[in-house]
Amino acid sequence: MVNTPAYRLRRESGHALITSVIFISITLIFTLGYLSWASHQKVSAKHRYAEMQAKLAARTGISETVYPLTMKTTPPKDTTYGNFALPPGVFQRTNFDKSYTAVATQKTGQGMQNIFYGESIGQVEYTLDSRLGNEERITVTRKAAITLEPNTFSKYLYFTNKEAAGGGAFIFDDVNYTDESRRAVTFGSNENWNGPVHSNDVLTMSDYGCPNFMSEITTSMPNQGGGFNFSSDCGEDEMLVGDDASIDTVDKITYPPPGVTTRLRRGANYS
């Protein structure tokens, strides 16, 4: 067997070459894998950015268009307010075009009140370069919605705009028989009020016994014509019973409610 220095040198060189090829191959595999992973992460990051911006665009549509317009006017059924462009964004040197489409629908609730369903669809578009050099247009959409149910007077056990007594005997304090001389309704003994009570006027307690209020009782602010007229026989502590009982003054509730005439005309069977 030949074992000269020249032969040993060639053999060691051959081993070094094979080792180098294996090392370079492994390095190349890891490099290509990393580049593929980095490329995938870059694409994923752009898509996540687009999803986040689409959600924000949808919520912007609710706050900027759907909610303000629904509160301002009564939308007819299936109203599309339009498509609205938003300022574009830039992420990883890619331009993202943003917009939203605002829609509102009017529905009728169980209590025959109007319920408004508002919807905003946020849309984000951007261009993605494929590995083959081709450009692909990507569109991402997300939706935000809101349901608005206006407060109704049906939640009150007792509601009045004025506390002047109605028809019947002894409703006037003098013989002029004017609205100004009408006596106020009084709350007295043997009355149990288990439900919300409100008046835009002054609530007057009787001099002959005290009622029992077991829920919230409110009037409008004193500077708006409301308040409480207690008697010597009935004060705040005496009339509030139960854990849910409370007394307060709040902003005057508009009566008749806005738009009620329009809704009555729409629901009328005869013109």
Side-chain angles (χ1 to χ4, degrees), residues 24-40 131:
I24 292 173
S25 298
I26 294 174
T27 303
L28 182 61
I29 291 173
F30 276 108
T31 302
L32 292 176
Y34 173 78
L35 292 176
S36 177
W37 175 83
S39 177
H40 177 73
R131 296 178 181 178

Side-chain angles (χ1 to χ4, degrees), residues 62 66-67 70 81 102-105 115-120 143-148:
I62 294 293
V66 176
Y67 182 78
T70 301
Y81 292 119
V103 178
T105 300
I115 297 177
F116 305 107
Y117 173 79
E119 184 177 279
S120 175
K143 182 174 69 175
I146 184 173
T147 300
L148 303 174

Side-chain angles (χ1 to χ4, degrees), residues 91-125:
F91 178 70
Q92 291 186 352
R93 293 178 293 182
T94 299
N95 294 324
F96 292 79
D97 297 323
K98 310 173 189 177
S99 64
Y100 67 83
T101 301
V103 178
T105 300
Q106 181 188 150
K107 301 180 181 179
T108 302
Q110 295 181 352
M112 300 305 294
Q113 76 276 22
N114 289 335
I115 297 177
F116 305 107
Y117 173 79
E119 184 177 279
S120 175
I121 301 174
Q123 179 172 298
V124 174
E125 294 183 344

Side-chain angles (χ1 to χ4, degrees), residues 95 97 125-128 135-139:
N95 294 324
D97 297 323
E125 294 183 344
Y126 65 100
T127 301
L128 183 65
E135 291 185 349
E136 182 181 2
R137 193 66 174 170
I138 306 297
T139 301

